[in-house]
Amino acid sequence: MAASLHRRLPALPLLLLAAGGLRAAERSSSSGSSSAMEELATEKEAEESHRQDSVSLLTFILLLTLTILTIWLFKHRRVRFLHETGLAMIYGLIVGVILRYGTPSSSGHDKPFSCSQENRPFTTLLVNVSGKFFEYTLKGEISPGKIHNVEQNDMLRKVTFDPEVFFNILLPPIIFHAGYSLKKRHFFRNLGSILAYAFLGTAVSCFIIGNLMYGVVKLMKLVGQLSDKFYYTDCLLFGAIISATDPVTVLAIFNELHADVDLYALLFGESVLNDAVAIVLSSSIVAYQPTGENTHAFDAAAFFKSVGVFLGIFSGSFMMGAVTGVVTALVTKFTKLHCFPLLETALFFLMSWSTFLLAEACGFTGVVAVLFCGITQAHYTYNNLSVESRSRTKQLFEVLHFLAENFIFSYMGLALFTFQKHIFSPVFIIGAFIAIFLGRAAHIYPLSFLLNLGRRHKINWNFQHMMMFSGLRGAMAFALAIRDTATYSHQMMFSTTLLIVFFTVWIVGGGTTPMLSWLNIRVGVDPDQDPPPTNDSFQVLQGDGLDSERRNRTKQESAWLFRLWYSFDHNYLKPILTHSGPPLTTTLPSWCGLIARCLTSPQVYDNQEQLREEDSDFILNDGDLTVTYGDTTITANGSSGPHTATTSLDGRRTKSSSEEALECDLGAADHEVTSRGTRLVFPLEDNA
């Protein structure tokens, strides 16, 4: 028995080893199956996330599709009480309500972790979960009181876009289209007034709104409705954000009804430059950092530093946009890209869009850069493009502008219900509406009074009232407000901005047509028709003096700085950068003949075409121009004399060969203007 037991004992370690191996195999198999299950769950989560991404994008596409169909219906029925942007906001609100209250919560795995030893947030975190590392990115700060109210609906998270999407994707085509489609003739005739409204007016509006809102914040603190910090610099930042006007609804109605061209130019020009000024002004306020313990007190050094930042950012952005436009013009001129319209259009598109990103990457403002890039491209590059590329670029950016703008307004409606950090304060909202009204009034009326002192064609009271009424807020104010919603004050500013945009687009935009009628503002005006002459206008001739008087007034209304620039641009820059303008061999000194021949394209010698863009500007200078019509010569100062051209027996003018070369594309009844060796031809209707 003992021997038997002895013989069996050596087998026990083998049995134990086998049992241990079996258990290890079971553990390995269970760990392998659990790992496979985890991988399968991860794949399912990724597939579900991809499906939700597709649904969120499909939601916005369906919103835009529905908006387009409703716009067609409104245009067919001639409905003007609601603009397309207002429609997009309404549809966005409806979808936001459905997503907020009609979709169940699908994510309940959020768990707060404490990192008390760290004194700053990290952009990216690597978290070790059971030996596996997972990457998490920073989305923003959450106040302690809302730690348990974090959004648990994955779908609502998906439709909440990163604010950088608005700045880098949606804003560039909107701003570029504004510059590229600019009607230069009416814009430059009112350039001085537009610059005054855009720069000085926006600054006045910003400081008035900021100071009034600071008083409102103090009142909120007294009545106990302010639960966190709200500094004076925050109030100024809100003033800069909400000073960005976007009268897209009013301008669309003006364009449809053909309202007075000068009023349209003033509103459009102010809104275009105003957006640029507002964004640079907000950047300057953010850069205001006083030295010392109180970082929000007034400091003269910090103030002047902010002014320097404003000037530096604006001038740098302007130069970057203009240089990019000039480079594109040179590339399209000295290459044969016009033989390949697809490549030409693609290069034009990429160069224009990259201007925005380049300016942002260099620390400037992309909005300013892409705006002046659009103006430069329209003035120079457009002349070098082939006919097909001209049509393509115009239509391409018009479509992108339309889709981006309506997308932003749809998202505004959606954000009212999907944004997670809304703070609505009735006192702050009411105070903001009052401050905006007073700021706009202090902006429009005093500046108009001062501008009228030097304007020949006055800005009448009905124009001033309409400009006061048309101070809508839109895409730019929304984009500036949503870009930073990390603090309590910025969240309140964003929520208030959203309500202000809703009110101005729906109420003010819907009341544009009745306001035009009530103020007796002209509609149905030809865009090329000038305002009616005032009592102090000088009538040159009874029969044909209206055209001459129109040119005379155009000269007097144009800014003197632009008149100087126009002469330099027409004689030197246009021939260098485009295929139009006088040959450089006729404008540069004789010793520059080699350079002039190298920079002047053969097309200039072939057709001698002076200005090829559709809305060519003309500027008259005192004593420099002579208008010839029929048998009468009229100078810019109104004097008349005998006509130097010959007249045949049957009453028709006999043109010289140079006249025929200049007028080959404009018809035989065109009027002739001579300016210091450079001949400009303006097609005018012959009433004889």
Side-chain angles (χ1 to χ4, degrees), residues 184-191 261-262 455-457 528-531 537 546-560 562-563 566 616-622 625 636 682 684:
K184 296 186 290 297
R185 177 188 169 205
H186 300 291
F187 177 85
F188 286 115
R189 185 170 64 191
N190 297 278
L191 181 62
V261 290
D262 276 339
R455 282 179 63 100
R456 183 175 181 83
H457 184 66
D528 293 327
Q529 179 183 348
D530 288 285
S537 297
L546 284 178
D547 293 327
S548 301
E549 190 272 334
R550 181 181 75 170
R551 292 190 182 93
N552 196 28
R553 185 165 60 249
T554 302
K555 174 265 301 183
Q556 293 165 342
E557 291 295 332
S558 300
W560 65 270
F562 178 72
R563 294 203 299 270
Y566 179 84
S616 302
D617 307 323
F618 57 88
I619 303 299
L620 306 180
N621 298 312
D622 290 331
L625 297 182
F682 306 114
L684 301 174

Side-chain angles (χ1 to χ4, degrees), residues 144-164:
K146 296 186 177 182
I147 193 67
H148 299 293
N149 297 328
V150 178
E151 185 57 64
Q152 299 297 317
N153 193 322
D154 285 341
M155 190 61 196
L156 290 181
R157 286 180 173 179
K158 293 291 184 182
V159 297
T160 304
F161 285 94
D162 188 339
E164 294 303 315

Side-chain angles (χ1 to χ4, degrees), residues 105-360:
S105 299
S106 54
S107 174
H109 308 292
D110 292 335
K111 181 180 179 181
F113 287 91
S114 177
C115 298
S116 56
Q117 68 272 19
E118 302 295 340
N119 56 6
R120 65 181 181 86
F122 293 94
T123 305
T124 304
L125 282 179
L126 295 177
V127 180
N128 187 349
V129 180
S130 302
K132 294 183 177 180
F133 287 90
F134 297 89
E135 181 182 0
Y136 294 84
T137 56
L138 178 67
K139 291 195 66 175
E141 182 183 2
I142 301 174
S143 60
K146 296 186 177 182
I147 193 67
H148 299 293
N149 297 328
V150 178
E151 185 57 64
Q152 299 297 317
N153 193 322
D154 285 341
M155 190 61 196
L156 290 181
R157 286 180 173 179
K158 293 291 184 182
V159 297
T160 304
F161 285 94
D162 188 339
E164 294 303 315
V165 171
F166 292 98
F167 265 80
N168 296 329
I169 305 298
L170 299 177
L171 275 184
I174 295 176
I175 303 300
F176 181 85
H177 178 263
Y180 194 53
S181 62
L182 186 69
K183 297 298 182 183
K184 296 186 290 297
R185 177 188 169 205
H186 300 291
F187 177 85
F188 286 115
R189 185 170 64 191
N190 297 278
L191 181 62
S193 302
I194 290 172
L195 291 176
Y197 286 128
F199 283 87
L200 185 58
T202 304
V204 169
S205 175
C206 168
F207 283 99
I208 288 179
I209 294 175
N211 284 279
L212 290 176
M213 293 311 299
Y214 188 64
V216 172
V217 168
K218 289 294 186 182
L219 177 62
M220 292 172 62
K221 190 174 182 179
L222 288 176
V223 298
Q225 291 195 8
L226 196 66
S227 58
D228 209 337
K229 296 178 181 179
F230 209 121
Y231 298 107
Y232 178 68
T233 51
D234 295 326
C235 296
L236 286 180
L237 179 62
F238 178 72
I241 290 173
I242 212 64
S243 294
T245 60
D246 186 18
V248 57
T249 306
V250 176
L251 292 175
I253 295 175
F254 279 13
N255 190 46
E256 186 177 351
L257 296 178
H258 299 289
D260 189 282
V261 290
D262 276 339
L263 178 60
Y264 183 92
L266 287 171
L267 276 175
F268 179 78
E270 180 204 2
S271 66
V272 167
L273 295 179
N274 164 274
D275 289 344
V277 174
I279 191 171
V280 179
L281 196 59
S282 62
S283 301
S284 303
I285 293 172
V286 171
Y288 177 78
Q289 295 179 348
T291 57
E293 297 181 358
N294 190 354
T295 58
H296 294 275
F298 178 78
D299 187 344
F303 172 77
F304 286 109
K305 179 182 177 181
S306 296
V307 173
V309 169
F310 175 86
L311 297 176
I313 291 179
F314 195 93
S315 58
S317 304
F318 165 76
M319 290 299 298
M320 187 166 291
V323 168
T324 307
V326 167
V327 170
T328 310
L330 290 172
V331 171
T332 54
K333 176 182 178 180
F334 291 104
T335 62
K336 294 192 179 291
L337 274 175
H338 63 273
C339 299
F340 307 94
L342 179 61
L343 300 180
E344 191 178 35
T345 305
L347 178 68
F348 183 93
F349 174 80
L350 293 176
M351 291 292 289
S352 303
W353 202 303
S354 63
T355 304
F356 183 92
L357 301 177
L358 180 63
E360 292 289 333

Side-chain angles (χ1 to χ4, degrees), residues 8 38 72 77 82 91 137 237 322 347 417 427 540 588 675:
R8 292 175 182 175
E38 289 177 359
W72 167 81
R77 300 292 182 182
L82 187 62
Y91 289 141
T137 56
L237 179 62
L347 178 68
F417 293 96
V427 177
V540 182
L588 288 177
S675 173

